[in-house]
Amino acid sequence: MNEYEKLKEFVFELMNKLDRRLLYHNRAHTEQYVLPDIDEFTYHHKSNVYGIDADELLLLKTAGLCHDIGFLEQYTDNENYAAEFVKKILPEYDY
């Protein structure tokens, strides 16, 4: 399992703890909508339509994966919490 897949497993486990009343900002939203949309970029990446290189694609996937993680802590200003959280956690996954 590569480091992104390990990170994904960790983040999804955390997202299982999100408030069930969050109908949009949750694991299902990330897993069923955000990441598949990013996978579309993967398809286009292979044909280089957008000029996204492999490192940029990994960052895009990582951002999509972690974009709602701030809701674990707070509803308002969750983006700043998420940014601080990933700054701390990503080095553990070789980012």
Side-chain angles (χ1 to χ4, degrees):
M1 181 181 308
N2 67 36
E3 293 305 306
Y4 170 78
E5 291 298 323
K6 290 177 188 175
L7 174 65
K8 187 164 108 176
E9 187 175 281
F10 173 74
V11 168
F12 280 166
E13 186 65 31
L14 285 177
M15 292 182 86
N16 287 335
K17 299 174 185 175
L18 283 168
D19 187 333
R20 299 281 181 219
R21 293 174 292 174
L22 294 174
L23 300 177
Y24 182 72
H25 302 287
N26 56 35
R27 177 180 173 163
H29 162 71
T30 299
E31 194 169 27
Q32 297 171 10
Y33 298 98
V34 175
L35 295 180
D37 285 349
I38 292 169
D39 284 340
E40 274 296 309
F41 282 101
T42 302
Y43 169 78
H44 293 295
H45 166 69
K46 290 176 183 172
S47 60
N48 205 24
V49 170
Y50 296 116
I52 299 170
D53 67 29
D55 289 337
E56 292 168 326
L57 183 59
L58 177 60
L59 290 176
L60 184 62
K61 289 172 75 170
T62 302
L65 175 64
C66 297
H67 83 283
D68 278 340
I69 204 73
F71 284 100
L72 285 167
E73 185 68 22
Q74 58 201 39
Y75 189 79
T76 58
D77 200 32
N78 63 80
E79 296 87 356
N80 286 330
Y81 175 81
E84 291 303 315
F85 179 83
V86 296
K87 281 183 196 176
K88 291 176 188 171
I89 196 70
L90 289 183
E92 296 179 28
Y93 295 90
D94 294 332
Y95 280 74

